[in-house]
Amino acid sequence: MGHREDLLEGAKRCLLEKGFVRTTARDIVKESGTNLASIGYHYGSKDALLAEAYVSIVEGLSDDFDGGGSATASTEPGSLERFQEVWSNVIGTMQRPGSMWHLSMEIVVMGDKVPGVRDHLAKAQREGARGIIPLLMGGLEEDVPERDVDTLGKFYMTLMMGLIAQWTFDPETATSAEELTEGLRRVLAKAGARAAAGTGAVDSAGSAGSAAGVTAEGSS
């Protein structure tokens, strides 16, 4: 590997051991066997390097989100079954000892102290919102329209951050995939009942389901 790859791998190890705030440039240099000048040359700053290292760690979990392809192969896109399977896999990554999702909470709580990292990750979060949609709804990431990123993608990322907070704070009472799915099922059922009654609160159960990334058929 060259210095760029060495720095990235070293930064990833430092993040998992020390977190964002306590990791220094010298820590990364020592861990990667490079030099301080290499950080600026390849990444521009330590914060930019740490942000890229974090994104790389998260991307490494992408296969876990769909169970190595099992979720997308065995469940219908947009169905409650797919919803539960994918979120069960996501939560599984949060249950592991020393979960890397603690790093996300560090950014939320101490973001003002690591503005460079926060700004880089804010940009990366949008791509995360784009990438999670095909897992639940099918299709290809490159075909996801911007409107879906701004609606479905942000909806899913909101769920993600809520789950990360719960599983970091108190795993004993954190929401399970089954509970999350049952909550969505009840929302869809209520929306369908109101539509059938002609209240005008929603156009149909299908429109409410689309907002949540679940087909009306999947809610039955």
Side-chain angles (χ1 to χ4, degrees):
M1 292 192 297
H3 276 197
R4 181 178 177 82
E5 293 77 16
D6 291 336
L7 284 168
L8 186 64
E9 292 303 313
K12 287 161 65 174
R13 290 191 292 271
C14 287
L15 277 178
L16 293 173
E17 180 181 348
K18 296 187 173 184
F20 285 103
V21 175
R22 293 195 300 123
T23 294
T24 67
R26 293 189 181 279
D27 290 332
I28 299 172
V29 167
K30 180 179 179 181
E31 186 67 32
S32 63
T34 58
N35 55 70
L36 289 172
S38 294
I39 294 178
Y41 178 78
H42 289 290
Y43 292 93
S45 69
K46 182 200 75 171
D47 284 347
L49 169 55
L50 288 177
E52 188 162 334
Y54 174 79
V55 171
S56 179
I57 293 172
V58 173
E59 288 176 343
L61 296 174
S62 60
D63 285 345
D64 294 336
F65 289 177
D66 73 346
S70 63
T72 53
S74 62
T75 54
E76 184 71 19
S79 66
L80 283 173
E81 291 75 20
R82 170 74 65 88
F83 183 89
Q84 180 169 322
E85 181 71 18
V86 170
W87 286 108
S88 177
N89 293 334
V90 172
I91 289 171
T93 68
M94 299 176 187
Q95 294 174 307
R96 296 172 183 171
S99 170
M100 54 75 56
W101 294 113
H102 293 185
L103 295 171
S104 299
M105 286 297 97
E106 184 179 355
I107 286 294
V108 172
V109 175
M110 307 187 72
D112 60 326
K113 296 183 180 180
V114 283
V117 175
R118 181 195 59 207
D119 293 345
H120 283 286
L121 292 182
K123 295 177 182 178
Q125 186 175 34
R126 183 171 182 81
E127 293 312 304
R130 185 188 306 278
I132 198 172
I133 292 173
L135 286 177
L136 291 134
M137 297 295 288
L140 301 175
E141 183 174 338
E142 55 265 32
D143 295 332
V144 175
E146 294 302 311
R147 176 166 174 76
D148 283 2
V149 178
D150 288 329
T151 52
L152 280 176
K154 288 183 177 179
F155 172 76
Y156 292 141
M157 295 306 288
T158 299
L159 288 181
M160 176 81 78
M161 290 305 297
L163 288 169
I164 292 171
Q166 290 180 2
W167 281 94
T168 300
F169 177 70
D170 185 13
E172 294 298 321
T173 61
T175 304
S176 68
E178 291 79 7
E179 291 167 337
L180 192 65
T181 305
E182 178 59 23
L184 179 57
R185 189 191 306 276
R186 294 189 182 192
V187 169
L188 292 172
K190 185 68 172 180
R194 290 176 66 86
T199 63
V202 293
D203 293 334
S204 68
S207 65
S210 295
V214 176
T215 60
E217 291 79 1
S219 65
S220 61

